[in-house]
Amino acid sequence: DTGVSQDPRHKITKRGQNVTFRCDPISEHNRLYWYRQTLGQGPEFLTYFQNEAQLEKSRLLSDRFSAERPKGSFSTLEIQRTEQGDSAMYLCASSLVQGPYTEAFFGQGTRLTVV
Amino acid sequence: AQKITQTQPGMFVQEKEAVTLDCTYDTSDQSYGLFWYKQPSSGEMIFLIYQGSYDEQNATEGRYSLNFQKARKSANLVISASQLGDSAMYFCAMREGERGDKVIFGPGTSLSVIP
């Protein structure tokens, strides 16, 4: 078990470009979350999956954002037509939902800078 | 709607002393879980401790304990015998319901341990 893995760790892109991030959760975990964190703030919930089903999507997520988890394993988060306000750390977390205790394990994040 | 409040943006503590980080929450659910995470300057989110809403005993994990006062909707983190490595951001978080849906985070408290 290597923990939650995110790729890339850093991404610099020009405004208007599309970017895609990947998250590989802990292998037996059925739940996968995406969060966004800006400097000095707590992580903000974006969306989460139960296996391959996307169960909730935050209102923070504009139509430029899309997330997938096609086979219930890894997930991708795509941002289209990036804006400077998209600059943030994008965190992925996974958990194994068994009853009420669902500790989430986080990856090291992808830091996006839009210039 | 849920809300997590952490009223202390920054805290200082002398090495080897104990420190309490405050967290209050708001939820209409009867079943919920409360978490504390640590985020050092390197960026990874590290799970520290969990408290379920039906747990009668306050949770403890090594030097970490959670002072859970359900009627007051508070879940303060107590770190005993502070160490220099405890300097980090600390986030209180909550997930709602038995299904363990999305986890939401507070704004965080920055803890600095002084030698």
Side-chain angles (χ1 to χ4, degrees):
Chain A
D1 180 3
T2 58
V4 178
S5 176
Q6 291 188 246
D7 182 69
R9 294 288 309 280
H10 303 273
K11 179 71 177 179
I12 301 174
T13 190
K14 291 183 178 179
R15 189 175 52 186
Q17 297 294 307
N18 299 344
V19 294
T20 300
F21 310 141
R22 177 178 170 124
C23 172
D24 287 272
I26 294 172
S27 59
E28 66 270 22
H29 284 187
N30 51 7
R31 188 158 287 178
L32 186 147
Y33 306 84
W34 284 101
Y35 289 85
R36 179 173 64 191
Q37 186 178 25
T38 52
L39 198 62
Q41 303 295 319
E44 297 175 293
F45 169 79
L46 294 179
T47 187
Y48 83 97
F49 293 83
Q50 175 82 12
N51 300 313
E52 66 274 11
Q54 188 174 19
L55 297 188
E56 187 171 345
K57 189 175 174 180
S58 167
R59 293 173 198 170
L60 294 173
L61 235 56
S62 73
D63 291 343
R64 297 184 297 106
F65 288 72
S66 63
E68 294 183 344
R69 195 183 183 198
K71 297 181 180 178
S73 56
F74 74 92
S75 176
T76 58
L77 177 68
E78 181 183 16
I79 308 174
Q80 296 181 328
R81 305 181 303 282
T82 51
E83 302 172 356
Q84 286 188 323
D86 297 331
S87 295
M89 176 76 86
Y90 290 83
L91 295 167
C92 175
S94 71
S95 65
L96 178 63
V97 179
Q98 284 182 327
Y101 180 57
T102 54
E103 170 196 345
F105 294 84
F106 281 81
Q108 293 192 302
T110 294
R111 182 170 295 284
L112 173 66
T113 303
V114 181
V115 298
Chain B
Q2 293 182 333
K3 186 177 178 181
I4 305 286
T5 302
Q6 294 180 255
T7 57
Q8 306 152 315
M11 290 281 287
F12 291 89
V13 64
Q14 202 77 35
E15 193 178 6
K16 300 181 184 177
E17 297 293 313
V19 63
T20 298
L21 306 183
D22 294 341
C23 172
T24 58
Y25 58 92
D26 183 26
T27 181
S28 55
D29 283 349
Q30 295 301 309
S31 176
Y32 51 89
L34 297 156
F35 303 82
W36 278 91
Y37 283 85
K38 171 184 177 181
Q39 188 176 44
S41 57
S42 53
E44 73 270 29
M45 295 285 283
I46 302 167
F47 166 76
L48 296 178
I49 197 166
Y50 167 83
Q51 178 85 42
S53 59
Y54 292 120
D55 294 341
E56 294 185 352
Q57 302 277 350
N58 284 344
T60 60
E61 287 287 347
R63 295 187 297 112
Y64 305 108
S65 60
L66 201 152
N67 183 3
F68 181 45
Q69 298 186 43
K70 192 171 181 177
R72 298 178 63 181
K73 293 189 175 178
S74 75
N76 298 339
L77 177 70
V78 180
I79 305 175
S80 62
S82 297
Q83 301 172 357
L84 295 178
D86 293 335
S87 294
M89 284 291 291
Y90 288 81
F91 294 99
C92 180
M94 177 171 65
R95 66 99 181 119
E96 61 179 340
E98 290 291 339
R99 295 191 309 160
D101 290 339
K102 67 185 183 187
V103 176
I104 61 167
F105 286 79
T109 295
S110 176
L111 177 67
S112 297
V113 180
I114 304 167

